[in-house]
């Protein structure tokens, strides 16, 4: 090969895959989109490379190009080579294989775990049948042998009761369990390369930690190489040996994990490292990528001359002191609670038999009590299924509670009539987790913001409402020209801003944010979190902020409620919960959060280098 990447030479004997000048373009109505533009890197045997970048950076298209899964049209690999050191066939170029030959290599030599396991698994077949199909197709074994291997794989990826899971359908499993089925499928033919495309995005931190442990274990046992794609550098620090940072289809920086985290060169990398909420210090505002880079006159991205020219400066000029936090907590404690929740229970009946006899209850919210003060942000944190979303919806009475009481501004709203409840919802709004499914795809975003104002008779005319809607769009960082566009024309972060603008349209006093940033890139997440805090200061909102990510909750919240199995496990000020957690469950949540610790990264890197040399 004529060119190589830093850290790899063309005469390496242990290379497994060499990507040279790969370019993948898409034809669109707006012109040619260079999704992957002249990308080169080398993957060695037994190595893990982390590819990191925001949505649209080209990292997933790079993976799909390696698998030859680019739909043509509109996409096409227009240049470059994909040199694979095949364990049996020697040096081959994946680009030059026939369709049939490439189909054989997929699964056998190179496997891929896709981002969303629910859409990657067929809902009409059992999990066991889907893994069996892969084994029979590639290994040419009997159904009995394929079944035995599938159950063995389910046991290897630590799925509980593998024989039971074998007969279950995807919708019957949790997110973490579905991801393990996908890993079992990818590992079914002992591939040389495993491509993992955002395999832990939107998973609980505890589940994420177990999935990363599992992938490390499988890599070491099988001497397998991994391309791990993510937008989160914190996750990369936990699993990768080397890092490739992509932006707008190009590689802007690459190096060992320690080099990237200790001394990032490119302003984009600095921005990605800075925008993740810190656990050990409380920042006033999260730095974002635009604080570190801008376009010059020629359209190139260059370092921005701002107060955030380094990660250290981003913290030094921007942290909240212990005294500031203590003063705020004292002021909150002197106020009358805006919301009182007392002994709240939301139980769902389990019905069995022909006549639907109730055999028990799912205790989603079980005897929960707490208070929220005006202008406060209460964080609700816990794993999926802990009851935090059900609690938020029970407060709004989108789900009717079974027992207990809810008081808002001194008024019991637990049993008020539907007309009064509709009026109350002007004061208490919710921002849902998935902005795309909570917006009508047939309605422009301007109309989506105007509609609740029209229903609640806010302002006198649609002209006045349109003017207010445009003001709200600009308030959340969008533009007047966006008013007549549809939801599919926006990115995930922009759609979430639309949902925030819609919630603001009714001038609420209290907003429940239900996992409102969990599926966003860390850079976009930082922008939305900053926006929520800015709006809170401007309009004096009170928030309940629901998330499974304790680092995000800690940044946003004055106090934190930790939930587990429908009950409150622990409650207290954010700093106290992090520094001195009382419950073992809370300690496990904190321990599972990826921590960027340079000493640990250096120690792990040295151990991995020794391991790779000896393997």
């Amino acid at each position: 090969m004529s060119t190589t990447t830093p850290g790899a030479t063309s005469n390496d004997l242990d290379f497994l895959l060499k990507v040279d000048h790969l370019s993948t373009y898409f034809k669109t109505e707006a012109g040619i989109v260079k999704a992957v533009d002249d990308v080169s890197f080398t993957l060695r045997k037994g190595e893990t490379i982390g590819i990191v970048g925001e949505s649209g950076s080209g990292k997933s298209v790079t993976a799909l190009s390696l698998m030859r899964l680019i739909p043509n049209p509109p996409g096409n690999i227009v240049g470059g080579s994909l040199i694979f050191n095949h364990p049996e066939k020697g040096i081959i170029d994946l680009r030059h294989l026939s369709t049939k030959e490439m189909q054989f290599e997929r699964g056998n030599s190179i496997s891929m775990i896709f981002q969303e396991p629910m859409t990657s698994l067929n809902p009409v077949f059992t999990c066991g049948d889907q893994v069996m199909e892969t084994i029979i197709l590639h290994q040419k074994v009997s159904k009995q042998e394929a079944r035995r291997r599938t159950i063995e794989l389910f046991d290897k990826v630590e799925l509980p009761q593998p024989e039971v899971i074998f007969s279950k359908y995807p919708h019957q499993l949790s997110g973490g369990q579905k991801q393990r089925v996908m890993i079992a499928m990818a590992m079914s033919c002992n591939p040389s390369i495993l491509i993992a495309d955002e395999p832990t995005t939107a998973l609980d931190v505890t589940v994420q930690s177990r999935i990363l442990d599992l992938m490390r274990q499988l890599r070491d046992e099988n001497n397998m190489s991994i391309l791990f794609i993510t937008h989160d550098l914190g996750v990369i620090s936990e699993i990768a040996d080397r890092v490739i940072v992509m932006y707008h289809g190009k590689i802007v920086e690459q190096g060992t994990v320690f080099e990237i985290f200790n001394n990032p060169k490119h302003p984009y990398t600095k921005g990605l490292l800075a925008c993740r909420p810190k656990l050990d210090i409380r920042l006033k505002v999260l730095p974002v990528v635009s604080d570190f880079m801008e376009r010059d006159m020629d359209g190139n991205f260059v370092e921005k001359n701002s107060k955030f020219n380094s990660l250290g400066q981003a913290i030094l000029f921007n942290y909240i002191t212990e005294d500031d936090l203590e003063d705020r907590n004292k002021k909150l404690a002197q106020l009358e609670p805006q919301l009182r929740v007392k002994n709240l229970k939301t139980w769902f009946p389990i019905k069995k038999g022909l006549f639907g006899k109730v055999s028990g209850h799912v205790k989603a919210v079980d005897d929960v009590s707490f208070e929220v003060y005006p202008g406060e942000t209460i964080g609700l944190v816990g794993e999926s299924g802990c009851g935090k979303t059900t609690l938020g919806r029970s407060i709004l009475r989108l789900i009717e509670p079974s027992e207990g009481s809810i008081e808002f501004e001194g008024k019991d709203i637990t049993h008020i009539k539907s007309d009064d409840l509709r009026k109350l919802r002007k004061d208490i709004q919710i921002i849902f987790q998935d902005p795309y499914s909570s917006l009508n795809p047939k309605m422009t975003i301007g109309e989506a913001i105007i509609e609740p104002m029209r229903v609640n008779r806010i302002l006198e005319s649609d002209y006045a409402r349109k003017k207010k809607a445009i003001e709200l769009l600009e308030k959340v960082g969008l533009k007047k020209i966006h008013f007549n566009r549809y939801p599919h024309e926006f990115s995930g972060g922009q759609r979430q801003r639309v949902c925030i603008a819609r919630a603001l349209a009714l001038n609420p006093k209290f907003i429940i944010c239900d996992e409102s940033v969990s599926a966003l890139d860390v850079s976009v997440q930082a922008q939305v979190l900053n926006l929520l805090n800015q709006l809170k200061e401007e309009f004096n909102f009170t928030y309940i902020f629901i998330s499974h990510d304790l680092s995000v909750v800690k940044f946003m919240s004055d106090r934190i409620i930790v939930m587990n199995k429908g009950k409150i496990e622990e409650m207290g000020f954010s700093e106290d919960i992090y520094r001195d957690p009382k419950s073992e469950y809370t300690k496990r949540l904190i321990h599972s959060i990826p921590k960027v610790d340079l000493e640990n990264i250096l120690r792990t890197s040295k151990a991995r280098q020794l391991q790779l040399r000896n393997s």
Side-chain angles (χ1 to χ4, degrees), residues 6 14 64 89 120 125 182 200 236 286 288 329 335 356 364-365 387 398 440 444 448 475 494 582 615:
D14 63 345
L64 292 171
K89 302 174 184 176
S120 303
F125 291 103
M182 287 295 298
T200 61
I236 287 289
L286 286 174
V288 295
N329 293 338
L335 300 172
V365 177
L398 295 174
N440 188 332
T444 66
K475 182 69 70 178
Q494 287 174 322
K582 300 294 188 290
S615 63

Side-chain angles (χ1 to χ4, degrees), residues 112-128:
M112 187 166 179
I113 305 168
F114 294 95
Q115 179 171 354
E116 178 45 67
M118 192 63 211
T119 56
S120 303
L121 293 169
N122 192 323
V124 301
F125 291 103
T126 66
C127 296

Side-chain angles (χ1 to χ4, degrees), residues 173-192:
L173 305 186
S174 69
Q177 288 174 332
K178 284 195 285 280
Q179 199 60 279
R180 286 169 189 267
V181 171
M182 287 295 298
I183 293 172
M185 189 184 297
M187 294 298 300
S188 61
C189 300
N190 296 317
S192 301

Side-chain angles (χ1 to χ4, degrees), residues 67-101:
M67 295 288 287
R68 294 261 308 272
L69 290 174
I70 297 296
N72 184 7
N76 190 24
I77 301 174
V78 299
S81 59
L82 306 171
I83 305 301
F84 178 43
N85 189 355
H86 197 285
E88 296 171 1
K89 302 174 184 176
I91 304 297
I92 58 175
D93 190 339
L94 298 176
R95 274 201 69 196
H96 296 150
L97 296 183
S98 67
T99 301
K100 189 173 182 179
E101 287 172 328

Side-chain angles (χ1 to χ4, degrees), residues 333-346:
Q334 293 169 358
L335 300 172
E336 275 294 309
Q338 189 174 20
L339 179 76
R340 281 191 174 97
V341 176
K342 296 180 183 177
N343 306 114
L344 194 70
K345 295 181 181 180
T346 304

